Every structure is written in C-alpha cells, then in structure tokens.
Amino acid sequence: MKKSKRLLAGYLIVMAFSLMNIACKESENKIKDGEITQFVVWDQNSTKHELHVNNVKNIISNKETFPVNVNLSRLVAEFKTNYESVILKVDDALQQSGKTRNDFTKEVVYDLYVGDAKQRSYTVLITKGVLANSFQSFSFNEKEMENYQPIINEETGEISNENEIPKNINISDLAPVFTLMERGATVKVNGVKQVSGVQRHDFSKPIVYTIEGEDGSSRSYTVDLKQGDFVAIKNPVMSGSYADPTVIHVGNEFYTYVTSGRVRGYRSSDLFNWRSIGPPSEVFTTRPDFVEVVSGKDAPGMWAPDINYFDGKYVMYYSISQWGEGAKCGIGVGVSNLPQGPFVPPAGNPNGKLFISTEIGVHNSIDPCFYEENGKRYLFWGSFHGLYMTELTADGMAVKDMGQKTKVAGKAFEATYIHKRENYYYLFASVGGCCDGVNSSYKVVVGRSQNLAGPYVSRGGVDMNTIDAWGATGFDPIVLQGNDTYIGPGHNARIITDKNGVDWMLYHSYIKENNTVGSRNLMLGKVNWDNDGWPIVDNGTPSPILTEIPVF
C-alpha cells in the first residue's frame, strides 16, 4: 500500500514537471510569435494618423485617405508590438518607435525579428487625396544637387530644400525635372510654358511656377532654395586625365603628381582646389629611357609616380612601361631640390634605373611605393604578378640586394600603398580592370599586419599572399568601389591627415558621362575607420559632394 502511494506520488510529480515544461514551451512559442499591435504615423505638422494593422495578411494601411497636405516623405512611425523582444527593421536599419523617419510615398517593408530570427514582413502602404493643379515631383538631376533635393509642401505651396546647399554649388543655372498630378495641366514661369528638364533658371532667388488645369483653374508654387554660407567639395576635384595620383605635404601646400604618359604636377593649399605647378606641368624635362622598346607599339610611358622627401631632397620613384610588355618594364628614381622639379637621375645613375622586371625576377614590375622605418628604406611594387618588398641602399637610390625580396600579396593586386596606424601596417591595393572606361572593374581593398613584411590579412584572416584570382572576388574589406556615376575608382595616393585628425585620400575614377579611356579624373574622399580599425572611403563608393572638408 505504501509502495503504491509512493509510486502515485512520484507519478504526480513527474506529471507536474511535464505540465510545467509544456507550459514553458508554450510560453516560449508565444514569445517567438511576434506581431505589430499598433502603428501610427506623425506628419510634418505633428498630426497623428492611426493605421490599420492586418496581422493575417501582414499589411498596414491607412483607415481613411490622408489629407493632401500631408508630406508622405517625412512621416515618423510610432508602433507597439506584443513583446519587448520584438524588433523592426527597414532595409536592415533598426527602427525606433516615435523617432525613425521613412519615405512613405512608396511601399515600405518592415521586417519583424525576434532575436536574430526574422519572422515576417509587413508592407506599409499609405494613400492620400489628390490635389488638382499640383506637382507630383520636383527635383534636380545635376549630380552636385543629389543631397539637396527640394520637398513639396502642398499646404503652403512652397518647394524648398531641407539641407542647406553649399555656397560653392552653382544654383543660378538649374533645369528642374518635374511631374504633374494631372496629365493635361500646363506649367508656366512668367507666362512661359515650361517643359520638364529643359528650361533653366536662376534659383539663387525664388522662382514662381504656376500650374494651369484644363478646367481653367490654376495654382502657384514658389521654389525657394536655401543656400548656406559654407563650402562643400564637388568631385572630381580635377576633371580630365589625372591617373595614379601621389601627394606630399610641403609647408602650407600640397603637391600631387599624376600620369598620362608623362608625370605632371599640381599644387593646392586645401586638397580640392588645384593649379598647375608650371608652366610646364611636366616635372621631368626629358623622359628617362632605360627599357627596351618594342617597335610597332606606342612609346613607353611614365606611370604611377611615388613622391617622397628625405635627405634634403624630393625623391620620386616611377614606372616606365610600354603597354603589354611586362617583362621589359621597370622602375626608376629621380631627385630634385624643389617639389616642382625638374626631377633628374641621381648622381652616379645616368638613366635613373632601379631595375627592370627580368633583373628583379618579378613580371610587370611597376607601381612603386617607398617606405622608411627604423633607419631602413624599402620599396614595395608589383602589378598582377604578386606584390613584393625589397630593401634599398641607405641613400634610397638603389636596391641593396637584387636577389633579396619578400612577397607580400598574390597576383590579384597592384598599386601598393603602405600606411602605418597604431599597431598595424595597412596594405592598400587595387584589384580588377583599371583602364577600360565604363567597363572598368577597379576597386580598392586593404589588408593589415603587425609586421611590415606581413603576412597581410583580410578582415576574415585570409592571407593576401594566397589570393591570385582576378578581381579578388569576395575579398573583405573593400575600401572603395564604383557606383552608377563613378566607374573603376582606384590607385589611391597616401593618406593625408588634417589638423582635426581627419584622414583624406586622393584617387582616380572614370565618370559615366565621360567614358573615354584616357579620362581618369582626380577624386577626393574621406577615410573613415570602424571600431575594429578597418578603413572605408566615404560610404564605400565615391561621393559627388563632400560636405566635410579638410582643415589645415
């Protein structure tokens, strides 16, 4: 009898634990089943609009049509969810209830997560009334206006920009692009019919646009652009052929040297306003000649200079190459007492040659980069046949031992630049096709090491020495790559740090509207460093406007 009671008690205990476990699991399942319970938006006049949440179809829509004066592009969403652990994202950006603004002129998708798991996606679609004689859109296609597009205020009839336009952007000659709510309406300025994207106006003063409907009614809008008393940088900082830049800071000025067969020099006090060193702009009075010339091809050109200052003189390393002759190209050195040149071969070296490819044992020996540390001088170089370093003689005018070199990266890379920051050496390099106009795939990548000779590794710990694939597909991080406007950015110069501690980088890039092979424009970008010490230029692609400028 006692044994039966003990068995019964044990059974009841087991059942109780089982029921508790089931309850806990059910509770966990409920927590995992997240949903939005309330969704409202606040407009530009701080008016609240409640939306309907359909948790079956995952659709959020307005209960009634919004007034025509509500600016759907500036709505702030406020929402509630059934559990605190639920988070919402739009395009992977975390949303904060009552704080995050989104553009609801189009469908907005809110992804709902519980922890790291995405459970569902809500589509938010808001409609509003249509006002007769009104603009549907009003914008400017000029790339320098990309960050300063105006907003239409239907309530006041004012079209104006939220962010002030820098004073160095010309707004006195702009051709706006617009669409209308009514297909048959006509737009006029001072009685003259306007065609979208055609007529240009001086927007440094207000311009009144009148929309005339087919029914004889009309409505006027005043376009009033706000321009601030500050300067922003327009890219490119020099338009035309300015490939393979190198830069040096001399007193209160910067000198950059670029190539298109010859080395040309330019000077600036701020990194974005440049003028020629000359006349002439060429800094070599005669082009060095130490490579074997193959007949039937264009003459060898000077490419990818690297400017330095040591031992009281300016020292420029450079490449001499005839296109496609990787075995015959090489690297030379020139010196000058002045940054504007002329640069001449060093004493005892009448043609300035350091080496050619066959002498050093590296095919396509171009793209030099000088580095000095602990009283020793080194040269890095290479192009798609491995990147290498070797020690130079004490005066930096020759290779110490032609038989000694260290491979630091594989065949995917060229255009080496070494930068020291805190405990790391950073090896910047360019990958992909440099010189095919709008078909160029050039981009800048980086690896780092705690030793000058490597190994240089990617963010994921991959040794750059092991990467031989064209374009280095999947390499991380990519510091800079092209976009719809700028094609094939790469071959960066050294990093320049301004007096506020901000880093800046010159590089070259094609522009889509300017796609001839010889037009690699000079660009400027801000170098940002993440919390793990990895760099990225601007937001990873070239910016048409830099609103932060170097301070010197």
Side-chain angles (χ1 to χ4, degrees):
M1 187 68 176
K2 289 182 179 180
K3 184 176 180 181
S4 297
K5 287 182 177 181
R6 284 197 301 269
L7 288 172
L8 179 61
Y11 175 75
L12 291 174
I13 291 170
V14 171
M15 285 295 294
F17 276 111
S18 298
L19 290 172
M20 288 174 63
N21 189 41
I22 291 170
C24 288
K25 287 184 177 179
E26 288 179 351
S27 178
E28 288 176 3
N29 289 335
K30 288 180 181 178
I31 290 174
K32 289 182 180 178
D33 187 16
E35 63 182 31
I36 297 175
T37 58
Q38 186 180 23
F39 198 99
V40 300
V41 292
W42 296 84
D43 66 21
Q44 75 275 13
N45 296 316
S46 299
T47 301
K48 178 180 177 181
H49 305 272
E50 187 170 352
L51 276 67
H52 174 68
V53 181
N54 187 327
N55 278 303
V56 176
K57 296 183 178 180
N58 296 331
I59 294 174
I60 300 174
S61 57
N62 42 311
K63 295 181 177 180
E64 56 186 29
T65 303
F66 277 29
V68 293
N69 66 306
V70 172
N71 188 343
L72 297 183
S73 69
R74 301 180 62 194
L75 298 181
V76 175
E78 184 178 298
F79 48 81
K80 293 181 181 179
T81 59
N82 59 337
Y83 295 108
E84 291 183 0
S85 58
V86 172
I87 62 173
L88 299 178
K89 294 182 180 181
V90 173
D91 293 331
D92 290 328
L94 182 65
Q95 303 296 292
Q96 292 182 288
S97 178
K99 295 182 179 180
T100 307
R101 178 183 295 171
N102 282 308
D103 181 1
F104 289 94
T105 58
K106 54 193 174 185
E107 289 185 353
V108 178
V109 176
Y110 280 75
D111 296 320
L112 184 147
Y113 290 78
V114 176
D116 295 329
K118 184 170 80 170
Q119 288 192 338
R120 60 169 78 181
S121 295
Y122 290 85
T123 299
V124 182
L125 181 60
I126 300 175
T127 58
K128 72 171 187 175
V130 177
L131 187 65
N133 305 331
S134 62
F135 284 113
Q136 185 176 40
S137 66
F138 193 101
S139 61
F140 299 97
N141 277 353
E142 289 82 359
K143 63 177 180 292
E144 59 266 28
M145 289 291 293
E146 181 178 354
N147 296 323
Y148 310 102
Q149 295 298 345
I151 295 170
I152 302 171
N153 189 324
E154 294 289 0
E155 188 174 17
T156 65
E158 184 179 74
I159 300 176
S160 187
N161 49 300
E162 185 174 22
N163 299 321
E164 283 191 335
I165 302 167
K167 66 180 181 181
N168 61 314
I169 292 181
N170 182 15
I171 63 171
S172 66
D173 186 33
L174 299 177
V177 176
F178 53 81
T179 58
L180 303 173
M181 291 292 189
E182 294 178 278
R183 180 175 296 179
T186 301
V187 181
K188 293 182 179 180
V189 172
N190 294 327
V192 178
K193 183 179 178 180
Q194 304 291 293
V195 178
S196 174
V198 175
Q199 284 87 1
R200 311 186 77 84
H201 295 285
D202 179 1
F203 287 95
S204 62
K205 54 190 177 185
I207 301 293
V208 177
Y209 282 76
T210 301
I211 302 177
E212 299 178 351
E214 291 181 290
D215 62 356
S217 63
S218 65
R219 186 180 185 207
S220 294
Y221 290 81
T222 300
V223 182
D224 188 7
L225 300 186
K226 300 179 180 68
Q227 192 163 33
D229 189 25
F230 63 96
V231 174
I233 302 168
K234 293 186 291 185
N235 263 324
V237 292
M238 281 201 288
S239 297
S241 185
Y242 299 93
D244 309 336
T246 181
V247 67
I248 192 169
H249 197 177
V250 181
N252 294 324
E253 288 197 298
F254 298 91
Y255 290 81
T256 189
Y257 306 85
V258 298
T259 51
S260 57
R262 299 289 288 268
V263 178
R264 309 189 317 274
Y266 300 85
R267 63 200 304 174
S268 170
S269 60
D270 53 22
L271 285 182
F272 55 92
N273 289 301
W274 294 93
R275 64 189 187 279
S276 174
I277 280 178
S281 62
E282 287 84 1
V283 295
F284 287 80
T285 53
T286 58
R287 182 165 55 198
D289 182 17
F290 55 78
V291 299
E292 179 185 345
V293 178
V294 177
S295 61
K297 290 188 173 185
D298 291 339
M302 299 181 71
W303 305 98
D306 177 58
I307 186 65
N308 303 274
Y309 181 80
F310 55 83
D311 296 344
K313 56 183 174 290
Y314 297 91
V315 181
M316 184 179 292
Y317 300 92
Y318 55 86
S319 310
I320 291 283
S321 177
Q322 194 173 19
W323 189 260
E325 297 298 327
K328 297 179 174 64
C329 61
I331 292 173
V333 60
V335 297
S336 176
N337 292 324
L338 299 171
Q340 59 264 38
F343 285 84
V344 298
N349 184 351
N351 60 15
K353 182 181 75 170
L354 283 183
F355 54 79
I356 60 174
S357 297
T358 51
E359 292 173 338
I360 199 72
V362 177
H363 193 78
N364 211 27
S365 280
I366 59 173
D367 294 356
C369 171
F370 173 85
Y371 195 86
E372 183 172 3
E373 182 174 71
N374 298 327
K376 293 186 177 182
R377 290 165 175 166
Y378 302 90
L379 190 77
F380 290 77
W381 81 98
S383 173
F384 301 131
H385 291 270
L387 300 181
Y388 291 83
M389 68 171 284
T390 189
E391 187 177 348
L392 299 174
T393 53
D395 62 2
M397 299 298 138
V399 174
K400 185 175 181 179
D401 183 347
M402 295 286 279
Q404 296 295 319
K405 59 182 180 289
T406 302
K407 184 169 174 281
V408 295
K411 296 179 181 179
F413 311 99
E414 68 172 8
T416 318
Y417 163 60
I418 301 294
H419 177 72
K420 180 73 181 294
R421 184 176 188 266
E422 296 178 351
N423 296 324
Y424 286 102
Y425 301 90
Y426 290 82
L427 191 162
F428 290 81
S430 295
V431 301
C434 70
C435 312
D436 299 321
V438 294
N439 296 316
S440 297
S441 57
Y442 227 32
K443 54 183 174 286
V444 179
V445 298
V446 70
R448 70 184 184 186
S449 174
Q450 291 187 330
N451 297 297
L452 181 61
Y456 289 89
V457 299
S458 69
R459 191 197 304 269
V462 178
D463 188 342
M464 293 178 76
N465 251 322
T466 66
I467 301 176
D468 291 326
W470 172 255
T473 303
F475 190 91
D476 180 40
I478 296 173
V479 177
L480 183 67
Q481 60 186 326
N483 54 30
D484 290 340
T485 301
Y486 300 99
I487 311 296
H491 204 122
N492 59 279
R494 64 165 48 92
I495 289 172
I496 297 292
T497 304
D498 70 15
K499 73 177 185 180
N500 290 336
V502 179
D503 289 333
W504 301 90
M505 178 183 285
L506 292 170
Y507 59 95
H508 71 231
S509 176
Y510 291 100
I511 297 178
K512 193 170 185 178
E513 300 86 29
N514 183 12
N515 60 5
T516 56
V517 172
S519 57
R520 286 173 286 174
N521 303 266
L522 186 67
M523 308 284 291
L524 178 66
K526 178 186 174 185
V527 184
N528 302 293
W529 301 86
D530 68 19
N531 292 333
D532 295 322
W534 290 101
I536 189 169
V537 173
D538 296 334
N539 291 316
T541 62
S543 295
I545 296 290
L546 299 174
T547 54
E548 183 176 353
I549 64 175
V551 179
F552 298 101

